[in-house]
Amino acid sequence: MTNPLFDALFAPNIGSERPFLILADRSQISYAAFLRQAAQMANALTSLGLVAGDRVAVQVEKSPQALALYAACVQSGLVFLPLNTGYTTHELSYFLENSGASLLVCGGAQEAELSSLAPRVLTLEGDGSGSLVDLSARQQKVFDTVPREANDLAALLYTSGTTGRSKGAMLSQRNLLSNAEVLKECWHFSPDDVLLHALPIFHTHGLFVATNITLLAGCSMVFLPKFDIDQMISALPRATTMMGVPTFYTRLLDDARFTKELAAGMRLFISGSAPLLAETHKQFEALSGHRILERYGMTETNMNTSNPYDGDRRAGTVGLPLPGVELKITDPDTGALLSNGEVGQIEVRGDNVFQGYWQMPKKTADELREDGFFITGDLGLIDEQGYVQIVGRGKDLIISGGYNIYPKEVELVLDAQPGVLESAVIGVPDSDFGEAVLGVIVPEPNADIQTDAIMEAARNELARFKHPRRLIILDNLPRNAMGKVQKNVLRETLKSALKATQ
Ligand code: MLC
Ligand code: AMP
């Protein structure tokens, strides 16, 4: 028996002295060194008694060692469960309880506070030190890969839910591998490529799209801890490709050092995770000569569509369904197939589509049809050339700088505060993050609302990127005849509410 994901992504690179990671200080880590460390970590994890299928929750700063932990989990058949470093203890306790993770790997500063949340806790710091690394250093540098089936789980990624409860998307080895294979071909990745990697590695984009393609192609990544404009400008001449959320592109455009000459060695810029404004696409081409390739995906499905590598990359569209991905537009009420040009819900089917939500059969059945089509919650159309355009969201979702925020989760926190009768959380336009979070509060009669105390509560319970940038007090919320809050009305009337404070 084999381990398809490990065999395809990692095994061919064992012993290769080619550079895998090029760090900000220009030091390099070869594939051979990286995979030796991964093998040591796999030995360390199994020495703790972890067995195939166990979940390993990981909330650590981005580092080569954090990526080696992903490789170690694949090699030892453990289910990798990466978590945003911004999540609070309150948020983490839910993920750990819901997933039943056997091990939590976190930063040393959090260890004491989090130690009761998982049966075992190890530490890993951004500089590559910590008890996981100490334990690994004492292990063998080879590891007998644990066999897995293509349908076995490789990762569990939590995605927020419309009801406020996060759902663990179960991703199999086949889900990840099939998508990486298709994308590597479609985007022409070869061993000569150098990918500029400034995304976080706790989400699909930075972890699977960027990293898995690099591994499959056997190429290198300039591996930066985060998006830092100075580091980006300095690294661009050493790269051939870049993947980013739209904020990466608007920030590059805003910097006078970003010129055609700086991007001369680049062959491909890819954008996704949030809508790229057609205007940004055009400005970027005018300045750099590069047409950004926009693609569309999500945690549950990996990537679904992409603009073509050769051919017309059309601004304002997310391109064509990827090979092996079926995409259709259906009527949200009846599920009936709609014709090209008609707006409806986007449904997708293929090897890329996840296995369901962890221990949530009802939610899985709501979104994943028996015939394998997944209802994405995005609204769109297929135009005459077969390109997909996303025109809105059927789900109440804010995307800020590429991070998803489900308003319900924030509203539940606001509603629980003293003096708050009800609340509505909306996304309003933001030049840097695309959308920013705005909270609208209706006080109870005669209540003395303390917005500072409410923000403090939000800070304790929610990751920073979910915090409202401003709270607005209204006497009541606009409602339709059915009594449903009209968020579109709020979005329209409050679209400039943040600008007033900037
Ligand atoms: C940071 N902050 C954010 C934020 N990122 N607030 C809202 N939304 C965000 N995305 C907060 C910080 O904590 C800080 O708070 C303040 O905003 C300013 O921060 P900054 O220094 O300007 O932000 P920065 O650290 O530079 O991060 C911005 C960013 C980052 C855009 C570079 O958010 C990022 O890397 N985003 C990528 C997300 C991603 O990978 N998404 C893929 C999901 S997978 P304070 O209080 O300190 O001022 C997916 C599927 C698919 O969607 O299709 O790919
Ligand atoms: P996530 O749940 O974090 O994986 O986010 C997935 C969501 O991001 C999708 O359902 C879309 O709403 C959105 N998304 C991803 N790529 C794009 C894109 N290129 N254009 C518009 N929205 C996108």
Side-chain angles (χ1 to χ4, degrees):
M1 237 171 77
T2 57
N3 179 321
L5 193 59
F6 190 82
D7 295 348
L9 297 188
F10 300 98
N13 297 309
I14 291 176
S16 164
E17 290 304 330
R18 289 174 58 83
F20 172 42
L21 303 177
I22 304 163
L23 307 183
D25 65 3
R26 298 191 183 219
S27 63
Q28 299 189 353
I29 298 175
S30 69
Y31 271 102
F34 176 81
L35 289 164
R36 277 195 298 272
Q37 180 155 49
Q40 287 184 301
M41 279 190 188
N43 280 311
L45 297 172
T46 46
S47 78
L48 296 173
L50 300 189
V51 294
D54 284 351
R55 276 77 59 212
V56 176
V58 180
Q59 190 195 36
V60 297
E61 295 299 330
K62 184 176 175 184
S63 70
Q65 292 74 14
L67 207 56
L69 181 53
Y70 163 55
C73 286
V74 175
Q75 191 167 19
S76 52
L78 298 167
V79 180
F80 190 65
L81 195 175
L83 292 159
N84 193 318
T85 43
Y87 287 147
T88 60
T89 304
H90 178 80
E91 290 165 316
L92 275 184
S93 59
Y94 168 76
F95 298 125
L96 290 163
E97 204 243 297
N98 184 263
S99 65
S102 309
L103 171 69
L104 167 66
V105 182
C106 63
Q110 289 83 44
E111 189 182 11
E113 194 174 350
L114 302 179
S115 61
S116 62
L117 298 182
R120 281 203 175 74
V121 179
L122 290 176
T123 61
L124 178 58
E125 306 295 345
D127 66 3
S129 63
S131 59
L132 171 66
V133 178
D134 294 344
L135 181 64
S136 304
R138 300 196 289 273
Q139 311 291 324
Q140 297 282 332
K141 292 180 179 160
V142 287
F143 179 80
D144 281 337
T145 304
V146 173
R148 295 264 83 191
E149 304 272 359
N151 281 336
D152 285 334
L153 291 195
L156 190 60
L157 262 62
Y158 277 84
T159 163
S160 304
T162 38
T163 56
R165 289 267 89 163
S166 288
K167 303 166 287 185
M170 300 190 285
L171 294 153
S172 70
Q173 290 220 335
R174 178 182 284 116
N175 294 150
L176 303 185
L177 182 54
S178 64
N179 212 235
E181 285 172 340
V182 164
L183 296 175
K184 174 188 160 266
E185 290 303 314
C186 288
W187 296 341
H188 294 204
F189 271 76
S190 81
D192 297 332
D193 272 311
V194 180
L195 173 73
L196 180 48
H197 191 303
L199 289 159
I201 53 168
F202 41 71
H203 279 311
T204 297
H205 198 163
L207 183 62
F208 301 139
V209 187
T211 307
N212 287 355
I213 296 179
T214 300
L215 289 160
L216 203 56
C219 60
S220 310
M221 295 198 270
V222 176
F223 197 65
L224 303 179
K226 58 173 287 207
F227 182 97
D228 172 274
I229 191 67
D230 293 337
Q231 288 189 347
M232 295 297 284
I233 298 288
S234 147
L236 264 167
R238 289 179 281 138
T240 63
T241 54
M242 186 187 106
M243 291 181 195
V245 296
T247 303
F248 283 25
Y249 292 97
T250 49
R251 286 187 181 182
L252 282 173
L253 282 171
D254 277 349
D255 194 295
R257 294 169 295 174
F258 181 69
T259 58
K260 195 168 190 152
E261 292 66 41
L262 197 78
M266 294 289 287
R267 69 168 182 87
L268 183 61
F269 286 94
I270 302 172
S271 176
S273 307
L276 181 79
L277 294 179
E279 188 190 316
T280 308
H281 192 280
K282 288 180 188 134
Q283 282 175 0
F284 199 84
E285 185 181 11
L287 185 73
S288 72
H290 287 279
R291 285 179 79 78
I292 298 171
L293 183 153
E294 186 172 7
R295 74 0 170 233
Y296 156 61
M298 57 196 305
T299 303
E300 289 92 332
T301 64
N302 298 282
M303 298 305 102
N304 296 312
T305 70
S306 171
N307 269 279
Y309 187 83
D310 300 310
D312 196 7
R313 297 179 197 163
R314 285 176 43 204
T317 82
V318 292
L320 305 148
L322 288 164
V325 178
E326 292 171 81
L327 184 147
K328 63 181 183 180
I329 308 290
T330 61
D331 183 318
D333 296 325
T334 64
L337 187 66
L338 296 180
S339 311
N340 280 6
E342 289 185 290
V343 174
Q345 59 187 7
I346 300 176
E347 298 193 27
V348 292
R349 177 164 74 178
D351 281 346
N352 56 318
V353 174
F354 75 140
Q355 309 297 298
Y357 295 115
W358 177 258
Q359 292 178 346
M360 291 184 180
K362 167 83 176 65
K363 286 200 189 305
T364 302
D366 287 347
E367 293 175 36
L368 192 57
R369 296 187 192 277
E370 273 180 15
D371 64 5
F373 271 99
F374 175 65
I375 305 166
T376 60
D378 292 310
L379 299 177
L381 60 83
I382 303 176
D383 69 18
E384 271 156 21
Q385 284 86 40
Y387 282 60
V388 177
Q389 293 177 22
I390 299 177
V391 299
R393 296 173 200 140
K395 50 195 173 192
D396 190 14
L397 167 70
I398 300 167
I399 305 184
S400 176
Y403 287 146
N404 285 7
I405 298 137
Y406 276 89
K408 186 77 193 169
E409 193 185 355
V410 186
E411 287 161 5
L412 287 173
V413 174
L414 300 182
D415 290 349
Q417 304 316 310
V420 175
L421 181 65
E422 60 175 347
S423 67
V425 168
I426 55 170
V428 291
D430 181 85
S431 58
D432 190 23
F433 290 140
E435 284 182 286
V437 180
L438 187 74
V440 181
I441 286 186
V442 177
E444 284 167 353
N446 307 318
D448 179 19
I449 283 285
Q450 302 291 329
T451 48
D452 287 352
I454 295 174
M455 289 301 281
E456 183 60 25
R459 269 192 285 282
N460 289 335
E461 298 199 23
L462 301 169
R464 171 75 184 108
F465 67 91
K466 300 176 190 172
H467 297 177
R469 296 286 141 155
R470 188 178 169 197
L471 290 175
I472 305 254
I473 315 260
L474 290 185
D475 290 339
N476 47 52
L477 299 175
R479 289 195 139 81
N480 66 14
M482 311 287 289
K484 195 169 177 294
V485 176
Q486 292 172 302
K487 289 206 169 172
N488 53 337
V489 174
L490 283 177
R491 275 192 289 267
E492 184 53 34
T493 47
L494 296 173
K495 65 185 175 201
S496 304
L498 282 185
K499 291 205 187 93
T501 60
Q502 282 168 358

